[in-house]
Amino acid sequence: MIKVQNLQKSYGSLTVLSDISFSLGRGQKVALVGLNGTGKTTLLKIVAGLEEQDAGKIDLATDACIGYLPQDTGLSGNEPIMDYLRKVSGIDVLEKEIGILSSELGDPEKVKRYGDVRSKYEHLDGYSFAHRAEVMLSGFGLEDVGLDRPLSNLSSGQKSKVVLAGILLKGVDLLLLDEPTNNLDLPALIWLEDFLQKSKASCIVVSHDRRFLDKVVRKIFEIDWRTRALTITGGTYSDYLEMVAKRVACQKEEYRLQQEEIERLNERAREKKADATRGSHWSPRDNDKFLKGFKRDRATKSSKAAKAIEKRVEQMDKIEKPIERKPFEIPLNAEVDSGTLDVRLSDVVIEYPNTFRIGPLSFEARYGSRVGIMGLNGSGKSTLLKTITGQMAPTHGKIEVGSGLRIGNMMQEHETLPRERTLLEFLEERAHLSKQDSYAKLSKFGFDERQVKLPISTLSPGGRARLLLALFSAQSVNMLVLDEPTNHLDIEALNALEETLRTYRGTVLLVSHDRYFIEKASLDTTYVLSDGALTKIPDFKTYVKTAEEKARKLLKLL
């Protein structure tokens, strides 16, 4: 399907990709992994033809169709959903051309062209396109939206689903998906992974969703954070993580054993040198020339032995010391002062005039509890969190938030970050820390001396998330409000956040579609927000099972 050879890309003096080579067969699905900033998005853009490489070659199968989903779809316009899907899939153009050519079949060249166009139309299953579009949108949870709904009336999450549906409907041979799970709710995510498993298209996917990757891919492309080169391993994502851990452990042990051997040999060489020095300076009291010569011969042999040992050490195939990044940790302690600590909603109604309404809702979160809120995109999960944290006022009802709660709201803070301020200035002002303490805190969260003096606008979404976690740590927040926290964190930061939540004693209010992360969060209570009502369900696994059953039924209709 595609073969990439010796690809290189730099921006000025910064090397982003170095000597990238791989091949991908028809139907193969791989995960492209690496820490934030290692060039994953750049590689996808180059393969998609949106950026030029500095060196290297890309060979793609003849007439192969590529579908590229960027992190930010940027979908705009006022056309109906169906018109958009017909346009991006190519169905619209093909139907128009068929109509024109059907009246010119007296020309042999037009007959041949007509046959080619009809063949392509049939390949895209154009005669049942409307049905397939409806099933696809139902899979993404948009069955109630309507194919005549203008794009401008869709939420950002709904727009992402429509863009992805358009890509899947145009019969692509190679899918390039950059964080496709970020803007999908859990039912849509399950639908996508089931679709990809059955699809004959090849796929390169960038994602931090470990469960999704385990379901979809059977090969891992990793861009190394130091060398910017690509390594390839087979198996699932979990297999890859296990292999990496074993590889690092094995390399550390081999390095340790070799260092012990080198030290043992160096000690022997030092002993031989000492013997040689003593022998060369030894003088008998009775001027026994025979004994003196014997001692000097032994000294010469000791000196030669020392040199031989040193040469042996010098000629060893040295095992490199494993270069390990310092583990990222999130020191977050929930401090409790005087005041009430619970959250309570009584008959709360939230409305946007003529467009949206949820409620009446009644709900309680006791201090230290972990509450998960599930639901489709556009169901009002984020709106509910905004109301609980005081960003929005309810239309009716009563909200009580304990006076002793210090809330760390990642969603709200992301939206209001002062982009022109430096990281150091932001933490000094918001956490009331000295410059020295601010620098020390930022250093713990992975920011170096150069980065802390740069404006917040220079940070990636993952970097901004780390900055907010540093702020929450400095403020010792005792309630975390996390709205899709996994969207912008790399695996290293995710692992650290999961470990922090394991011992965190404060309240956690969580909206997420990442099954692995949710399971690690150990929720006490799970709610589903649907059709304006908040329903308590037995557990998270029940919600997942229902979504899986729906996805399987819809796939049979395609």
Side-chain angles (χ1 to χ4, degrees):
M1 173 57 65
I2 185 171
K3 187 174 183 179
V4 174
Q5 295 174 287
N6 310 118
L7 207 68
Q8 297 181 34
K9 180 68 176 179
S10 298
Y11 295 107
S13 60
L14 177 64
T15 299
V16 180
L17 300 171
S18 175
D19 199 25
I20 303 288
S21 298
F22 65 85
S23 61
L24 192 62
R26 190 171 298 277
Q28 284 189 312
K29 295 166 179 77
V30 305
L32 179 61
V33 304
L35 298 177
N36 283 354
T38 51
K40 301 186 295 295
T41 294
T42 300
L43 179 56
L44 290 188
K45 285 183 177 179
I46 291 173
V47 174
L50 300 176
E51 283 197 24
E52 288 287 332
Q53 66 268 33
D54 297 331
K57 184 180 178 184
I58 299 176
D59 291 320
L60 192 64
T62 306
D63 296 328
C65 177
I66 296 178
Y68 170 61
L69 179 74
Q71 288 190 40
D72 182 8
T73 58
L75 183 63
S76 60
N78 205 39
E79 62 185 322
I81 292 174
M82 189 59 173
D83 289 357
Y84 169 80
L85 293 177
R86 287 173 57 82
K87 180 180 70 177
V88 297
S89 65
I91 287 292
D92 196 21
V93 171
L94 291 173
E95 284 184 348
K96 287 178 182 176
E97 192 169 2
I98 287 172
I100 293 171
L101 291 170
S102 62
S103 62
E104 301 175 345
L105 296 181
D107 185 336
E109 288 188 8
K110 297 292 176 68
V111 171
K112 182 180 183 304
R113 176 61 185 165
Y114 179 79
D116 291 340
V117 175
R118 283 293 294 266
S119 177
K120 190 170 183 181
Y121 186 76
E122 289 168 3
H123 173 71
L124 291 177
D125 204 4
Y127 297 108
S128 61
F129 183 80
H131 167 72
R132 292 174 58 240
E134 287 178 357
V135 173
M136 188 75 70
L137 291 178
S138 293
F140 285 126
L142 299 177
E143 60 265 38
D144 296 329
V145 171
L147 290 169
D148 57 348
R149 175 81 68 86
L151 297 177
S152 57
N153 286 357
L154 301 177
S155 68
S156 59
Q158 290 170 333
K159 287 180 180 178
S160 295
K161 291 178 177 181
V162 170
V163 171
L164 187 50
I167 292 171
L168 299 180
L169 283 167
K170 72 177 185 177
V172 297
D173 302 295
L174 175 61
L175 274 166
L176 306 173
L177 305 177
D178 196 354
E179 298 289 3
T181 64
N182 272 6
N183 295 307
L184 297 181
D185 45 53
L186 185 53
L189 178 57
I190 290 171
W191 155 262
L192 176 62
E193 69 186 23
D194 282 0
F195 180 91
L196 292 177
Q197 284 176 298
K198 291 177 172 58
S199 171
K200 295 178 181 178
S202 304
C203 182
I204 303 176
V205 57
V206 174
S207 176
H208 295 144
D209 191 310
R210 288 150 288 189
R211 194 60 52 79
F212 176 80
L213 292 179
D214 268 346
K215 293 269 190 176
V216 173
V217 309
R218 290 299 177 266
K219 186 177 286 188
I220 310 296
F221 290 173
E222 178 189 13
I223 301 178
D224 186 86
W225 64 278
R226 291 182 301 114
T227 65
R228 300 307 173 99
L230 192 76
T231 57
I232 301 172
T233 57
T236 66
Y237 185 67
S238 291
D239 293 336
Y240 156 77
L241 292 178
E242 187 177 340
M243 185 212 68
V244 169
K246 287 181 178 177
R247 184 177 65 200
V248 171
C250 184
Q251 189 179 356
K252 286 168 72 174
E253 180 63 12
E254 288 176 353
Y255 176 79
R256 184 188 68 79
L257 292 173
Q258 188 179 68
Q259 290 302 303
E260 287 182 357
E261 176 64 5
I262 289 172
E263 181 55 34
R264 186 184 69 80
L265 292 173
N266 284 337
E267 181 60 29
R268 280 185 59 195
R270 286 191 291 269
E271 290 172 358
K272 293 293 183 183
K273 282 182 177 181
D275 289 344
T277 300
R278 286 192 298 269
S280 64
H281 292 94
W282 186 83
S283 296
R285 292 180 182 176
D286 55 1
N287 201 26
D288 186 334
K289 292 181 180 180
F290 178 79
L291 185 57
K292 185 176 183 180
F294 172 75
K295 289 286 189 181
R296 287 187 175 177
D297 285 345
R298 284 189 62 181
T300 301
K301 289 179 181 178
S302 293
S303 180
K304 287 181 179 179
K307 288 179 180 178
I309 292 169
E310 289 175 337
K311 191 169 184 180
R312 179 179 166 188
V313 171
E314 185 181 328
Q315 293 178 340
M316 271 185 180
D317 288 332
K318 299 293 193 303
I319 297 170
E320 284 190 26
K321 183 177 182 180
I323 299 176
E324 296 182 272
R325 287 163 60 97
K326 184 180 177 182
F328 179 50
E329 297 177 349
I330 301 174
L332 190 58
N333 297 312
E335 291 189 1
V336 178
D337 299 323
S338 59
T340 54
L341 296 166
D342 297 339
V343 175
R344 186 175 293 106
L345 277 65
S346 304
D347 299 318
V348 167
V349 174
I350 310 162
E351 286 182 306
Y352 293 115
N354 303 320
T355 59
F356 180 82
R357 173 189 169 106
I358 57 176
L361 309 176
S362 294
F363 153 85
E364 183 177 20
R366 304 298 299 272
Y367 181 71
S369 63
R370 293 161 183 247
V371 179
I373 300 176
M374 310 297 149
L376 299 179
N377 286 352
S379 61
K381 302 185 300 295
S382 295
T383 299
L384 177 57
L385 294 188
K386 287 180 178 179
T387 306
I388 291 172
T389 55
Q391 291 174 262
M392 290 180 58
T395 311
H396 304 288
K398 184 179 181 183
I399 296 178
E400 299 171 83
V401 176
S403 60
L405 286 177
R406 273 176 279 170
I407 300 174
N409 185 341
M410 189 169 286
M411 171 185 62
Q412 176 188 5
E413 296 288 0
H414 255 296
E415 295 171 353
T416 59
L417 275 171
R419 304 301 173 92
E420 76 286 352
R421 307 296 283 170
T422 69
L423 278 63
L424 209 54
E425 290 169 342
F426 171 75
L427 205 60
E428 285 181 72
E429 293 166 5
R430 291 294 302 276
H432 307 294
L433 296 178
S434 68
K435 182 170 290 189
Q436 183 177 349
D437 288 341
S438 295
Y439 177 78
K441 179 66 72 176
L442 290 168
S443 179
K444 283 185 178 181
F445 281 79
F447 298 106
D448 61 33
E449 188 174 355
R450 180 187 63 86
Q451 287 176 303
V452 301
K453 297 175 183 176
L454 294 176
I456 292 172
S457 60
T458 62
L459 292 178
S460 66
R464 294 197 294 273
R466 286 179 183 240
L467 176 61
L468 291 176
L469 290 170
L471 173 66
F472 297 162
S473 174
Q475 293 175 330
S476 298
V477 298
N478 53 24
M479 179 176 175
L480 280 174
V481 178
L482 303 174
D483 190 359
E484 301 293 0
T486 63
N487 277 4
H488 301 301
L489 294 174
D490 57 25
I491 291 295
E492 184 185 32
L494 278 178
N495 289 337
L497 183 55
E498 287 164 1
E499 182 61 25
T500 296
L501 289 180
R502 190 177 66 82
T503 57
Y504 184 67
R505 296 184 179 275
T507 304
V508 177
L509 195 54
L510 172 65
V511 169
S512 178
H513 60 256
D514 189 313
R515 286 157 289 181
Y516 189 88
F517 183 82
I518 292 170
E519 288 166 9
K520 288 285 186 179
S522 301
L523 298 177
D524 299 314
T525 312
T526 306
Y527 292 90
V528 173
L529 184 57
S530 178
D531 297 325
L534 196 62
T535 306
K536 187 176 180 179
I537 59 175
D539 55 34
F540 174 65
K541 290 181 180 179
T542 301
Y543 182 68
V544 173
K545 186 177 180 181
T546 302
E548 289 173 341
E549 289 172 353
K550 180 185 176 184
R552 282 194 292 269
K553 289 178 182 177
L554 285 170
L555 279 173
K556 291 178 181 178
L557 299 176
L558 280 177

